[in-house]
Amino acid sequence: MTTGNIKNFEEQENKILLVEDEDSLAIGLAYNLMEEGYSVQVASDGRNALEQFSRENYDLIILDIMLPYLDGFEVAGRIRKISEQVPILMLTAKSGIDDRVKGLKIGADDYLVKPFHLDELLLRVRGMLRRKRWYKSRTASPEYHFGNNKVNFDTLSCKTPEGEIKLTVQEALLLRYFLDNRGRVLSRREILKDVWGMEPGVETRTVDNFVARLRKYFEENPKKPQYLQSRRGAGYIFLNDPDASEK
Ligand code: CA
């Protein structure tokens, strides 16, 4: 299979690019996603995925890591150079804990470990698309300042000490959550539940990696954060008045 182009009969706004080289898995997932009412296109290798991505607008990318020609990391990295906003769900191997971290660092929004239950995938997809829609519909007070940072939550563009950057939707949601709850210690579980909509098990690396990303953007010294601080054994707290934090 080179490229499957499978259209839904129903009118459907959510278009998913599924990048998976295992034919049987790709066909099964595409079928089930279409049953849920999504429009699905399949790319069976990394090059193909980028070609399709450059031609069409997608609402979500489901991206396997082990792919011919270009692997999922490479594909995610290149997609992020073109679009900061399209949600990326990575499919990782069970053994590859480093892969999950690497994927999140490159710009994936979430990951699923293979083999996964179909229901779990559909739940994640639904959640990611819902957050994207919810995010788009938020227009009140789009600008926020802290320190030398200015964040525009409409465009997701930010002025930081490092220069102009663009946030991914998931990064923006997390930052927004910290801002809405500033001055409050937030546990990783709480964050995962409220921002990702996940009932967390022991898996909290996702939060840590996203916090690291935000610190890299906004902190003068990410190792000694002024705004997004850790509270050992408790979680994270956002302080927008760093002088008041020394307690
Ligand atoms: Ca694969």
Side-chain angles (χ1 to χ4, degrees), residues 24-107:
S24 57
L25 183 58
I27 290 165
L29 289 179
Y31 174 80
N32 282 286
L33 287 164
M34 286 190 303
E35 284 282 291
E36 292 289 301
Y38 304 115
S39 156
V40 183
Q41 296 184 353
V42 179
S44 57
D45 66 61
R47 273 204 307 243
N48 223 307
L50 289 172
E51 270 167 34
Q52 293 199 52
F53 184 77
S54 68
R55 278 200 307 267
E56 301 224 23
N57 286 318
Y58 294 98
D59 298 291
L60 179 82
I61 316 280
I62 300 173
L63 183 58
D64 188 32
I65 289 179
M66 298 293 284
L67 294 167
Y69 306 120
L70 300 169
D71 67 18
F73 299 122
E74 188 69 33
V75 173
R78 295 199 196 179
I79 285 177
R80 275 290 171 258
K81 286 197 180 122
I82 306 165
S83 163
E84 292 82 1
Q85 304 199 8
V86 63
I88 300 176
L89 173 63
M90 280 202 140
L91 306 181
T92 74
K94 196 172 187 177
S95 53
I97 288 176
D98 291 346
D99 284 358
R100 303 174 209 174
V101 175
K102 194 173 167 193
L104 291 169
K105 278 191 179 141
I106 286 172

Coordinates of all heavy atoms in Angstrom, one line a residue, residues 24-107:
S24 N -2.1 -3.9 8.0 CA -3.3 -4.4 8.7 C -3.7 -3.5 9.8 O -4.9 -3.2 10.0 CB -3.0 -5.8 9.3 OG -1.9 -5.8 10.1
L25 N -2.7 -2.9 10.5 CA -3.1 -2.0 11.6 C -3.7 -0.7 11.0 O -4.7 -0.2 11.5 CB -1.8 -1.7 12.4 CG -2.0 -0.7 13.6 CD1 -3.0 -1.3 14.6 CD2 -0.7 -0.5 14.4
A26 N -3.0 -0.2 10.0 CA -3.5 1.0 9.4 C -5.0 0.9 8.9 O -5.8 1.8 9.1 CB -2.6 1.4 8.2
I27 N -5.2 -0.2 8.2 CA -6.6 -0.4 7.7 C -7.6 -0.5 8.8 O -8.6 0.1 8.7 CB -6.6 -1.7 6.8 CG1 -5.8 -1.4 5.5 CG2 -8.0 -2.1 6.4 CD1 -5.4 -2.7 4.7
G28 N -7.2 -1.3 9.8 CA -8.2 -1.5 11.0 C -8.4 -0.1 11.6 O -9.6 0.2 11.9
L29 N -7.4 0.7 11.9 CA -7.6 1.9 12.6 C -8.4 2.9 11.7 O -9.3 3.6 12.2 CB -6.2 2.6 12.9 CG -5.4 1.9 14.0 CD1 -4.1 2.6 14.2 CD2 -6.2 1.9 15.3
A30 N -8.0 2.9 10.4 CA -8.7 3.9 9.5 C -10.2 3.5 9.5 O -11.1 4.4 9.6 CB -8.1 3.8 8.1
Y31 N -10.5 2.2 9.4 CA -11.9 1.8 9.4 C -12.6 2.3 10.6 O -13.7 2.8 10.5 CB -12.0 0.3 9.3 CG -13.4 -0.3 9.4 CD1 -14.2 -0.2 8.3 CD2 -13.8 -0.8 10.6 CE1 -15.5 -0.7 8.4 CE2 -15.1 -1.3 10.7 CZ -16.0 -1.2 9.6 OH -17.3 -1.7 9.7
N32 N -12.0 2.0 11.8 CA -12.7 2.4 13.0 C -12.8 3.9 13.2 O -13.8 4.4 13.8 CB -12.0 1.7 14.2 CG -12.3 0.3 14.3 OD1 -13.4 -0.1 14.7 ND2 -11.4 -0.6 13.9
L33 N -11.8 4.6 12.8 CA -11.9 6.1 12.9 C -13.0 6.6 12.0 O -13.8 7.5 12.3 CB -10.6 6.7 12.5 CG -9.5 6.6 13.5 CD1 -8.1 6.9 12.9 CD2 -9.7 7.5 14.8
M34 N -13.2 6.0 10.8 CA -14.2 6.4 9.9 C -15.6 6.1 10.5 O -16.5 6.8 10.3 CB -14.0 5.8 8.5 CG -12.9 6.4 7.8 SD -12.8 5.9 6.1 CE -12.7 4.2 6.3
E35 N -15.7 4.9 11.1 CA -16.9 4.6 11.8 C -17.3 5.6 12.8 O -18.5 5.8 13.1 CB -16.8 3.2 12.5 CG -16.8 2.0 11.6 CD -18.2 1.7 11.2 OE1 -18.9 1.2 12.1 OE2 -18.5 1.9 10.0
E36 N -16.3 6.3 13.4 CA -16.6 7.3 14.4 C -17.0 8.7 13.7 O -17.2 9.7 14.4 CB -15.4 7.6 15.3 CG -15.0 6.4 16.2 CD -16.1 6.3 17.3 OE1 -16.2 7.3 18.1 OE2 -16.7 5.3 17.4
G37 N -16.9 8.7 12.4 CA -17.3 9.9 11.6 C -16.1 10.8 11.2 O -16.4 11.9 10.7
Y38 N -14.9 10.3 11.4 CA -13.8 11.1 10.9 C -13.5 10.8 9.5 O -13.7 9.7 9.0 CB -12.5 10.8 11.8 CG -12.7 11.1 13.2 CD1 -12.6 10.0 14.1 CD2 -13.0 12.3 13.7 CE1 -12.8 10.2 15.5 CE2 -13.2 12.5 15.1 CZ -13.1 11.4 15.9 OH -13.3 11.7 17.3
S39 N -12.9 11.8 8.8 CA -12.3 11.5 7.5 C -10.9 11.1 7.7 O -10.1 11.8 8.4 CB -12.5 12.8 6.7 OG -11.6 12.8 5.6
V40 N -10.4 10.1 7.1 CA -9.1 9.5 7.3 C -8.3 9.4 6.1 O -8.8 8.8 5.1 CB -9.2 8.2 8.1 CG1 -7.8 7.6 8.4 CG2 -10.0 8.2 9.3
Q41 N -7.1 9.8 6.1 CA -6.1 9.5 5.0 C -4.9 8.8 5.6 O -4.5 9.1 6.7 CB -5.7 10.7 4.3 CG -6.9 11.4 3.6 CD -6.5 12.6 2.8 OE1 -5.4 13.1 2.8 NE2 -7.5 13.1 2.0
V42 N -4.4 7.8 4.9 CA -3.4 7.0 5.4 C -2.1 7.2 4.6 O -2.1 7.3 3.4 CB -3.7 5.5 5.3 CG1 -2.6 4.6 5.9 CG2 -5.0 5.2 6.1
A43 N -1.0 7.4 5.3 CA 0.3 7.5 4.7 C 1.1 6.3 5.3 O 1.1 6.1 6.5 CB 1.0 8.8 5.0
S44 N 1.8 5.6 4.4 CA 2.5 4.4 4.9 C 4.0 4.6 5.1 O 4.7 3.6 5.4 CB 2.2 3.2 4.0 OG 2.6 3.6 2.7
D45 N 4.5 5.8 4.9 CA 5.9 6.0 5.2 C 6.1 7.5 5.5 O 5.2 8.3 5.3 CB 6.9 5.5 4.2 CG 6.7 6.3 2.9 OD1 7.0 7.5 2.9 OD2 6.4 5.6 1.8
G46 N 7.2 7.9 6.0 CA 7.5 9.2 6.5 C 7.4 10.2 5.3 O 6.9 11.3 5.5
R47 N 8.0 9.9 4.2 CA 8.1 10.8 3.1 C 6.7 11.1 2.6 O 6.3 12.3 2.3 CB 8.9 10.2 1.9 CG 10.3 10.5 2.0 CD 11.1 10.4 0.7 NE 10.9 9.2 0.0 CZ 11.8 8.3 -0.3 NH1 13.1 8.6 0.0 NH2 11.6 7.3 -1.0
N48 N 5.9 10.0 2.5 CA 4.5 10.2 2.0 C 3.7 11.0 3.0 O 2.9 11.8 2.6 CB 3.9 8.7 2.1 CG 3.1 8.5 0.9 OD1 2.2 9.3 0.6 ND2 3.4 7.4 0.2
A49 N 4.0 10.9 4.3 CA 3.2 11.6 5.3 C 3.5 13.1 5.0 O 2.5 13.9 5.1 CB 3.7 11.2 6.7
L50 N 4.7 13.5 4.8 CA 5.1 14.9 4.6 C 4.5 15.5 3.3 O 4.0 16.6 3.3 CB 6.6 15.1 4.7 CG 7.2 14.9 6.0 CD1 8.7 15.0 5.9 CD2 6.7 16.0 7.0
E51 N 4.5 14.6 2.3 CA 3.9 15.0 1.0 C 2.4 15.4 1.2 O 1.9 16.4 0.8 CB 4.0 13.9 0.0 CG 5.2 14.0 -0.8 CD 5.4 12.7 -1.6 OE1 4.4 12.1 -2.0 OE2 6.6 12.3 -1.7
Q52 N 1.7 14.4 1.9 CA 0.3 14.6 2.1 C 0.0 15.8 3.0 O -0.9 16.6 2.8 CB -0.4 13.4 2.7 CG -0.3 12.2 1.8 CD -1.3 11.1 2.2 OE1 -2.5 11.4 2.4 NE2 -0.9 9.9 2.4
F53 N 0.9 16.0 4.0 CA 0.7 17.1 4.9 C 0.9 18.4 4.2 O 0.2 19.4 4.6 CB 1.7 17.0 6.1 CG 1.5 18.0 7.2 CD1 0.4 17.9 8.1 CD2 2.3 19.1 7.2 CE1 0.2 18.9 9.0 CE2 2.1 20.1 8.1 CZ 1.0 20.0 9.0
S54 N 1.8 18.5 3.3 CA 2.0 19.7 2.6 C 0.9 20.1 1.6 O 0.7 21.2 1.2 CB 3.3 19.7 1.8 OG 3.2 18.8 0.7
R55 N 0.1 19.1 1.3 CA -1.0 19.3 0.3 C -2.3 19.7 1.0 O -3.2 20.3 0.4 CB -1.2 18.1 -0.5 CG -0.3 18.0 -1.7 CD -0.9 17.0 -2.8 NE -1.2 15.7 -2.2 CZ -0.4 14.7 -2.2 NH1 0.8 14.7 -2.7 NH2 -0.9 13.5 -1.7
E56 N -2.5 19.1 2.2 CA -3.9 19.2 2.8 C -3.8 19.7 4.2 O -2.8 19.6 4.9 CB -4.5 17.8 2.8 CG -4.7 17.3 1.5 CD -6.0 16.6 1.2 OE1 -7.0 17.0 1.9 OE2 -6.1 15.7 0.4
N57 N -4.9 20.2 4.7 CA -5.0 20.6 6.1 C -5.6 19.5 6.9 O -6.7 19.0 6.5 CB -5.9 21.9 6.3 CG -5.2 23.1 5.8 OD1 -4.0 23.3 6.1 ND2 -5.9 23.9 5.0
Y58 N -5.0 19.1 8.0 CA -5.5 18.1 8.8 C -5.8 18.6 10.2 O -5.2 19.6 10.6 CB -4.5 16.9 8.9 CG -4.2 16.2 7.6 CD1 -3.2 16.5 6.8 CD2 -5.1 15.2 7.2 CE1 -3.0 15.9 5.6 CE2 -5.0 14.6 6.0 CZ -3.9 14.9 5.2 OH -3.7 14.3 4.0
D59 N -6.8 18.0 10.8 CA -7.1 18.4 12.2 C -6.3 17.6 13.2 O -6.2 18.0 14.4 CB -8.6 18.2 12.4 CG -9.4 19.0 11.5 OD1 -9.4 20.2 11.7 OD2 -10.0 18.4 10.6
L60 N -5.7 16.5 12.8 CA -5.0 15.7 13.8 C -4.1 14.7 13.0 O -4.5 14.3 11.9 CB -6.0 14.8 14.6 CG -5.4 13.9 15.6 CD1 -5.1 14.6 16.9 CD2 -6.4 12.7 15.9
I61 N -2.9 14.5 13.5 CA -2.0 13.5 12.9 C -1.8 12.4 13.9 O -1.4 12.6 15.1 CB -0.6 14.1 12.6 CG1 -0.7 15.5 12.0 CG2 0.3 13.2 11.8 CD1 -1.0 15.6 10.6
I62 N -2.0 11.2 13.5 CA -1.6 10.0 14.3 C -0.4 9.4 13.6 O -0.3 9.1 12.5 CB -2.7 8.9 14.3 CG1 -4.0 9.5 14.9 CG2 -2.3 7.7 15.1 CD1 -5.2 8.6 14.8
L63 N 0.7 9.4 14.4 CA 2.0 9.2 13.8 C 2.8 8.0 14.5 O 3.1 8.1 15.7 CB 2.8 10.5 14.0 CG 4.2 10.6 13.4 CD1 4.2 10.3 11.9 CD2 4.8 12.0 13.7
D64 N 3.0 7.0 13.7 CA 3.8 5.9 14.2 C 5.3 6.3 14.2 O 5.7 7.2 13.4 CB 3.7 4.7 13.3 CG 4.3 3.4 13.9 OD1 4.4 3.3 15.1 OD2 4.8 2.6 13.1
I65 N 6.1 5.8 15.1 CA 7.5 6.2 15.1 C 8.4 5.4 14.1 O 9.1 6.0 13.4 CB 8.1 6.1 16.6 CG1 7.5 7.1 17.5 CG2 9.6 6.2 16.5 CD1 7.9 7.1 18.9
M66 N 8.3 4.1 14.2 CA 9.1 3.3 13.3 C 8.4 3.2 11.9 O 7.4 2.6 11.7 CB 9.2 1.8 13.8 CG 9.8 1.7 15.2 SD 11.6 2.2 15.1 CE 12.2 0.7 14.4
L67 N 9.1 4.0 11.0 CA 8.5 4.1 9.6 C 9.6 4.1 8.6 O 10.8 4.4 8.9 CB 7.8 5.5 9.4 CG 6.6 5.8 10.3 CD1 6.3 7.3 10.2 CD2 5.4 5.1 9.7
P68 N 9.3 3.6 7.4 CA 10.4 3.6 6.3 C 10.7 5.1 5.9 O 9.9 6.0 6.1 CB 9.7 2.9 5.2 CG 8.5 2.2 5.7 CD 8.1 3.0 6.9
Y69 N 11.9 5.2 5.4 CA 12.5 6.5 4.9 C 12.7 7.6 6.0 O 13.9 7.9 6.3 CB 11.6 7.1 3.8 CG 11.3 6.2 2.7 CD1 10.0 5.8 2.3 CD2 12.4 5.6 2.0 CE1 9.8 4.9 1.3 CE2 12.2 4.7 0.9 CZ 10.9 4.3 0.6 OH 10.7 3.4 -0.4
L70 N 11.7 8.1 6.6 CA 11.8 9.1 7.6 C 11.0 8.5 8.8 O 9.9 8.2 8.7 CB 11.2 10.4 7.3 CG 11.8 11.1 6.0 CD1 11.0 12.3 5.7 CD2 13.2 11.6 6.4
D71 N 11.6 8.5 10.0 CA 10.9 8.0 11.1 C 9.9 9.1 11.7 O 9.9 10.2 11.3 CB 11.8 7.4 12.2 CG 12.7 8.5 12.9 OD1 12.3 9.7 12.8 OD2 13.7 8.1 13.6
G72 N 9.1 8.7 12.7 CA 8.1 9.5 13.2 C 8.7 10.8 13.9 O 8.0 11.9 13.8
F73 N 9.8 10.7 14.4 CA 10.5 11.9 15.1 C 10.8 12.9 14.0 O 10.5 14.1 14.2 CB 11.7 11.5 15.8 CG 11.6 10.5 16.9 CD1 12.3 9.3 16.9 CD2 10.7 10.8 18.0 CE1 12.1 8.4 17.9 CE2 10.5 9.9 19.0 CZ 11.2 8.7 18.9
E74 N 11.4 12.5 12.9 CA 11.7 13.4 11.8 C 10.5 14.0 11.2 O 10.4 15.2 11.0 CB 12.4 12.5 10.8 CG 13.1 13.3 9.6 CD 14.3 14.1 10.1 OE1 15.0 13.7 11.0 OE2 14.4 15.2 9.5
V75 N 9.5 13.2 11.1 CA 8.2 13.7 10.5 C 7.6 14.7 11.4 O 7.2 15.8 11.0 CB 7.2 12.5 10.2 CG1 5.8 13.1 9.8 CG2 7.7 11.6 9.2
A76 N 7.5 14.4 12.7 CA 6.9 15.4 13.7 C 7.7 16.7 13.7 O 7.1 17.8 13.7 CB 6.9 14.7 15.1
G77 N 9.0 16.6 13.7 CA 9.9 17.8 13.7 C 9.6 18.6 12.5 O 9.4 19.9 12.6
R78 N 9.5 18.0 11.3 CA 9.2 18.8 10.1 C 7.8 19.4 10.1 O 7.6 20.5 9.6 CB 9.4 18.0 8.9 CG 10.9 17.6 8.8 CD 11.3 17.1 7.4 NE 12.5 16.4 7.4 CZ 13.1 15.9 6.3 NH1 12.5 16.0 5.1 NH2 14.2 15.3 6.3
I79 N 6.9 18.6 10.6 CA 5.5 19.1 10.7 C 5.4 20.3 11.6 O 4.8 21.3 11.3 CB 4.5 18.0 11.1 CG1 4.3 17.0 10.0 CG2 3.2 18.6 11.6 CD1 3.4 15.9 10.4
R80 N 6.1 20.3 12.7 CA 6.1 21.4 13.6 C 6.8 22.6 13.1 O 6.4 23.7 13.5 CB 6.8 21.0 14.9 CG 6.0 20.3 15.9 CD 4.9 21.2 16.5 NE 3.9 20.4 17.3 CZ 2.7 20.1 16.9 NH1 2.3 20.5 15.7 NH2 1.9 19.4 17.6
K81 N 7.7 22.5 12.1 CA 8.2 23.7 11.5 C 7.2 24.4 10.6 O 7.3 25.6 10.4 CB 9.4 23.3 10.6 CG 10.7 23.0 11.5 CD 11.9 23.0 10.7 CE 13.1 22.7 11.7 NZ 13.8 21.5 11.2
I82 N 6.2 23.6 10.1 CA 5.2 24.2 9.2 C 4.0 24.6 10.0 O 3.4 25.6 9.8 CB 4.8 23.1 8.1 CG1 6.0 22.6 7.4 CG2 3.7 23.8 7.2 CD1 5.7 21.4 6.6
S83 N 3.6 23.8 11.0 CA 2.4 24.0 11.8 C 2.6 23.7 13.2 O 3.0 22.6 13.6 CB 1.2 23.1 11.3 OG 0.2 23.1 12.2
E84 N 2.5 24.8 14.1 CA 2.6 24.6 15.5 C 1.3 24.0 16.1 O 1.3 23.6 17.2 CB 2.9 25.9 16.2 CG 4.3 26.4 15.9 CD 4.3 27.2 14.6 OE1 3.2 27.3 13.9 OE2 5.4 27.7 14.2
Q85 N 0.3 24.1 15.3 CA -1.0 23.9 15.9 C -1.7 22.5 15.7 O -2.5 22.2 16.5 CB -2.0 25.0 15.5 CG -1.4 26.4 15.8 CD -2.4 27.5 15.8 OE1 -3.6 27.2 15.8 NE2 -1.9 28.7 16.0
V86 N -1.3 21.8 14.7 CA -2.0 20.6 14.4 C -1.6 19.6 15.6 O -0.4 19.4 15.9 CB -1.6 20.0 13.0 CG1 -0.2 19.7 12.9 CG2 -2.5 18.8 12.8
P87 N -2.6 19.0 16.2 CA -2.3 18.0 17.3 C -1.6 16.8 16.7 O -2.0 16.3 15.7 CB -3.6 17.7 17.9 CG -4.6 18.7 17.4 CD -4.0 19.2 16.1
I88 N -0.6 16.3 17.4 CA 0.1 15.1 17.0 C 0.0 14.0 18.1 O 0.4 14.3 19.2 CB 1.6 15.3 16.6 CG1 1.7 16.4 15.5 CG2 2.3 14.0 16.3 CD1 3.2 16.8 15.2
L89 N -0.5 12.9 17.7 CA -0.6 11.7 18.7 C 0.4 10.7 18.2 O 0.3 10.2 17.1 CB -2.0 11.1 18.7 CG -2.2 9.9 19.5 CD1 -1.9 10.0 21.0 CD2 -3.6 9.3 19.3
M90 N 1.4 10.4 19.0 CA 2.5 9.4 18.6 C 2.1 8.0 19.0 O 1.6 7.9 20.1 CB 3.8 9.9 19.1 CG 4.4 11.0 18.3 SD 6.2 11.0 18.5 CE 6.7 11.3 16.8
L91 N 2.5 7.1 18.2 CA 2.3 5.7 18.6 C 3.7 5.1 18.8 O 4.6 5.1 18.0 CB 1.7 4.9 17.4 CG 0.3 5.4 16.9 CD1 -0.2 4.6 15.8 CD2 -0.7 5.6 18.1
T92 N 4.0 4.7 20.1 CA 5.3 4.3 20.4 C 5.4 2.8 20.8 O 4.3 2.3 21.2 CB 5.9 5.1 21.6 OG1 5.3 4.7 22.8 CG2 5.6 6.6 21.4
A93 N 6.5 2.2 20.7 CA 6.7 0.8 21.1 C 6.7 0.7 22.6 O 7.1 1.7 23.3 CB 8.0 0.3 20.5
K94 N 6.3 -0.4 23.1 CA 6.2 -0.6 24.5 C 7.5 -0.3 25.3 O 7.6 0.2 26.4 CB 5.7 -2.0 24.8 CG 5.2 -2.2 26.2 CD 4.6 -3.6 26.4 CE 3.9 -3.7 27.7 NZ 3.2 -4.9 27.9
S95 N 8.6 -0.8 24.7 CA 9.9 -0.7 25.3 C 10.5 0.7 25.3 O 11.4 1.0 26.0 CB 10.9 -1.7 24.7 OG 10.9 -1.4 23.3
G96 N 10.0 1.5 24.4 CA 10.7 2.8 24.1 C 10.3 3.9 25.0 O 9.7 4.9 24.5
I97 N 10.6 3.9 26.3 CA 10.3 5.0 27.2 C 11.0 6.3 26.7 O 10.4 7.3 26.7 CB 10.7 4.6 28.6 CG1 9.7 3.6 29.1 CG2 10.6 5.9 29.5 CD1 9.9 3.1 30.5
D98 N 12.2 6.1 26.3 CA 12.9 7.3 25.8 C 12.2 7.9 24.6 O 12.3 9.1 24.4 CB 14.4 6.9 25.4 CG 15.2 6.6 26.6 OD1 14.7 6.9 27.7 OD2 16.3 6.1 26.4
D99 N 11.6 7.0 23.8 CA 10.9 7.5 22.6 C 9.8 8.4 22.9 O 9.5 9.4 22.2 CB 10.3 6.3 21.8 CG 11.4 5.5 21.0 OD1 12.5 6.0 21.1 OD2 11.0 4.5 20.4
R100 N 9.1 8.1 24.0 CA 7.9 8.9 24.4 C 8.4 10.3 24.8 O 7.9 11.3 24.4 CB 7.2 8.3 25.7 CG 6.8 6.9 25.4 CD 6.3 6.3 26.7 NE 6.5 4.9 26.7 CZ 6.2 4.1 27.7 NH1 5.7 4.6 28.8 NH2 6.4 2.8 27.6
V101 N 9.5 10.3 25.5 CA 10.1 11.6 26.0 C 10.6 12.4 24.7 O 10.3 13.6 24.6 CB 11.2 11.4 27.0 CG1 11.9 12.7 27.3 CG2 10.7 10.7 28.2
K102 N 11.2 11.7 23.9 CA 11.8 12.3 22.7 C 10.6 12.9 21.8 O 10.7 14.0 21.3 CB 12.6 11.3 21.9 CG 13.4 11.9 20.8 CD 14.3 10.8 20.1 CE 14.9 11.3 18.9 NZ 15.5 10.2 18.1
G103 N 9.6 12.1 21.7 CA 8.4 12.5 20.9 C 7.8 13.8 21.5 O 7.5 14.7 20.7
L104 N 7.7 13.8 22.8 CA 7.1 15.0 23.4 C 8.0 16.2 23.3 O 7.5 17.3 23.1 CB 6.8 14.7 24.9 CG 5.7 13.7 25.2 CD1 5.8 13.3 26.7 CD2 4.4 14.2 24.8
K105 N 9.3 16.0 23.3 CA 10.2 17.1 23.2 C 10.2 17.7 21.8 O 10.3 18.9 21.6 CB 11.7 16.6 23.4 CG 12.0 16.6 24.9 CD 13.4 16.3 25.2 CE 13.7 16.3 26.7 NZ 14.7 15.3 27.1
I106 N 10.0 16.8 20.8 CA 10.0 17.3 19.4 C 8.7 18.0 19.1 O 8.6 18.9 18.2 CB 10.1 16.1 18.4 CG1 11.6 15.7 18.5 CG2 9.7 16.4 17.0 CD1 11.9 14.4 17.7
G107 N 7.6 17.8 19.9 CA 6.4 18.5 19.6 C 5.1 17.7 19.5 O 4.1 18.3 19.2

